[in-house]
Amino acid sequence: MPATSAPSRSRSLALGVLATGMLMTILDGSIVTVSMPAIQSDLGFTPAGLSWVVNAYLIAFGSLLLLAGRFGDLIGRRRMFLAGTGVFTAASLLAGVAASPGVLIAARFLQGVGSAMAAAVSLGILVTLFTEPRERAKAIAVFSFTGAAGASIGQVLGGVLTDALTWNWIFFINLPIGLATLLVALRALPTDRGPGLKTGGGADVLGALLVTAGLMAGIYAVVKIEEYGAASAHTLGLGALSLALLAGFVVRQARTANPLMPLRILRSRSVSGANLVQMLMVAALFSFQVLVALHLQKVLAYGAAETGLAMLPAAAVIGAVSLGVSARLNARFGERVVLLTGLALLMVMLGLLGRIPVHASYVADLLPVMLLAAGFGLALPALTSLGMSGAKEEDAGLASGLFNTTQQIGMALGIAVLSTLAAARTEALTEAGRPVAEALTAGHRLAFAVGTGLLVAAFVVAFTVLRQPKRDREATEDRVAMPVS
């Protein structure tokens, strides 16, 4: 049955499956952070080795999204989603029973592989299921909410599971969710048959190797900046290697008869502009998701569970906005206007954090910031709609993988750049004799200020590059006199 003719109930069930898959991916990226001390103590990780519990997942996930997205277009997106969910679930079991650092790191890498396979094609499946603009906007709002709120939920859940049980349960909890997702997905996701890997003379193996190796080298260089330094031979050498490999990939795609990533997709202003805006926005918002949590714990002495609960208002408003009003606002005013409004709210949010006092009051200084996170609930669904609107149906998986790839690159850049700036500022002030809390606050303020600058750049790109898709613009003009509700 074609996706466009699927009954409404079947499509809703499919949306639930895709959103659950995204939730598992996002949860797994954040739930582990609050359990790191327990993992280190139990398995005997060195401080340097412990970072690989996060880095192994990030490198595999970020570098394989583009490849998985294109392969999904060629062999079938449903098949790729099912395979990825299966790999992720099995790897979660391995991580939960890991008794040594090497086994846990290997399991985390495999989790990243599975997450990339499933996440890369999720948006591609969604946009082919929901073709009518208003329905698609609602579906993307639901999908975006699971990604936007998942990180905050993960921090709370990670603290609760670690305190109440053991760290192993942050991975075991994926087993029933993953198995249920697989069973429902078999029934709910529409069967699609891509042209196959041999279309046009076979899969572009060389292109696949170039892009995967280039992304792995680049992400590895970025996540290790804090350890080696931005100007070190390690960082510059791997960065140059990454650029050379990616440049070779682009040349290969321009010349081969069966490109892994047809360069036509980048000619769309919506696709290229939305991906650039997303990379800047995600890099900036790392300072909110991670540095606010660090500030609560290291400066204000919150516990792990308290930190997660303190950040719950952000998840709540993001959910309320993305699920409750974003689709109607997109239909009423257009995605571009809603995106710009969301970015403006986020600029105010990080601007306020750039002035946070050392002895901050949660109600007076932090709660308003949490509420302004509603801007993310406006920006992400609108940006997702714009980014996918320029892709043809045969490239939907590739566009989905590309959109997720730039998200991971933005996250890696945010981690590297903002963490390094904050740490350097804190270290300089500590060496100058300033109190630790004051030095930490100053470092965090600097990161928030740089994050604000990145959001300003994202706003400028969105304003100058992005345009409302023609079909959606015409629909918006037809509805311009309609009330929002």
Side-chain angles (χ1 to χ4, degrees), residues 316-344:
V317 295
I318 290 171
V321 171
S322 60
L323 293 176
V325 299
S326 66
R328 286 181 289 172
L329 291 176
N330 286 334
R332 176 68 171 82
F333 300 105
E335 287 90 346
R336 181 174 178 269
V337 171
V338 175
L339 170 62
L340 292 172
T341 303
L343 288 173

Side-chain angles (χ1 to χ4, degrees), residues 262-279:
L263 296 182
R264 65 177 181 268
I265 196 170
L266 297 179
R267 299 191 190 107
S268 166
R269 290 168 65 105
S270 295
V271 172
S272 56
N275 277 279
L276 179 56
V277 169
Q278 177 178 230
M279 188 162 59

Side-chain angles (χ1 to χ4, degrees), residues 75-463:
I75 68 173
R77 300 180 197 110
R78 178 179 182 269
R79 184 181 300 173
M80 182 63 73
F81 181 88
L82 291 171
T85 303
V87 170
F88 176 84
T89 305
S92 296
L93 175 60
L94 181 61
V97 301
S100 68
V103 173
L104 181 58
I105 290 172
R108 289 288 288 163
F109 186 88
L110 288 174
Q111 280 188 308
V113 172
S115 290
M117 294 169 68
V121 296
S122 294
L123 276 173
I125 297 173
L126 187 149
V127 298
T128 56
L129 275 172
F130 298 89
T131 56
E132 195 275 323
R134 182 183 289 272
E135 286 188 337
R136 179 181 290 183
K138 291 179 180 178
I140 286 177
V142 172
F143 187 82
S144 299
F145 164 70
T146 61
S152 297
I153 297 171
Q155 289 173 330
V156 178
L157 191 58
V160 170
L161 288 173
T162 302
D163 289 344
L165 300 170
T166 64
W167 63 264
N168 312 77
W169 284 91
I170 67 174
F171 301 115
F172 287 149
I173 196 172
N174 291 327
L175 301 183
I177 300 174
L179 291 173
T181 300
L182 279 172
L183 291 174
V184 179
L186 284 168
R187 174 186 174 188
L189 295 186
T191 300
D192 60 322
R193 298 185 183 278
L197 296 178
K198 295 188 179 300
T199 298
D204 181 15
V205 177
L206 178 58
L209 292 174
L210 286 170
V211 69
T212 303
L215 288 170
M216 278 192 173
I219 293 173
Y220 177 77
V222 167
V223 300
K224 301 299 283 185
I225 281 178
E226 191 171 356
E227 180 179 343
Y228 289 96
S232 67
H234 178 276
T235 301
L236 295 178
L238 278 175
L241 175 62
S242 173
L243 290 175
L245 290 169
L246 293 176
F249 170 71
V250 172
V251 171
R252 170 73 178 175
Q253 301 314 288
R255 294 180 176 178
T256 187
N258 56 316
L260 181 69
M261 187 184 81
L263 296 182
R264 65 177 181 268
I265 196 170
L266 297 179
R267 299 191 190 107
S268 166
R269 290 168 65 105
S270 295
V271 172
S272 56
N275 277 279
L276 179 56
V277 169
Q278 177 178 230
M279 188 162 59
L280 292 167
M281 181 178 73
V282 170
L285 292 180
F286 159 78
S287 63
F288 173 77
Q289 180 183 336
V290 177
L291 292 185
V292 168
L294 288 175
H295 190 85
L296 288 168
Q297 293 185 45
K298 293 188 175 183
V299 179
L300 301 181
Y302 281 43
E306 288 178 299
T307 298
L309 291 172
M311 298 186 73
L312 266 185
V317 295
I318 290 171
V321 171
S322 60
L323 293 176
V325 299
S326 66
R328 286 181 289 172
L329 291 176
N330 286 334
R332 176 68 171 82
F333 300 105
E335 287 90 346
R336 181 174 178 269
V337 171
V338 175
L339 170 62
L340 292 172
T341 303
L343 288 173
L345 290 175
L346 294 174
M347 283 188 281
V348 176
M349 180 187 78
L350 288 191
L352 289 176
L353 284 172
R355 301 168 59 87
I356 190 171
V358 177
H359 303 292
S361 161
Y362 180 79
V363 173
D365 300 309
L366 289 169
L367 184 57
V369 168
M370 300 296 172
L371 298 179
L372 284 168
F376 197 52
L378 292 176
L380 188 59
L383 187 60
T384 304
S385 294
L386 289 168
M388 295 299 294
S389 66
K392 298 178 180 179
E393 183 172 346
E394 62 268 26
D395 294 329
L398 173 61
S400 174
L402 180 63
F403 198 74
N404 282 290
T405 298
T406 57
Q407 187 177 91
Q408 295 305 306
I409 292 173
M411 186 182 301
L413 287 172
I415 291 171
V417 175
L418 299 182
S419 289
T420 300
L421 289 173
R425 177 68 170 161
T426 298
E427 183 179 356
L429 291 175
T430 302
E431 291 176 352
R434 304 284 281 276
V436 174
E438 185 178 329
L440 283 168
T441 301
H444 294 163
R445 283 176 183 163
L446 175 61
F448 295 139
V450 174
T452 304
L454 292 173
L455 286 174
V456 171
F459 186 95
V460 171
V461 173
F463 185 81

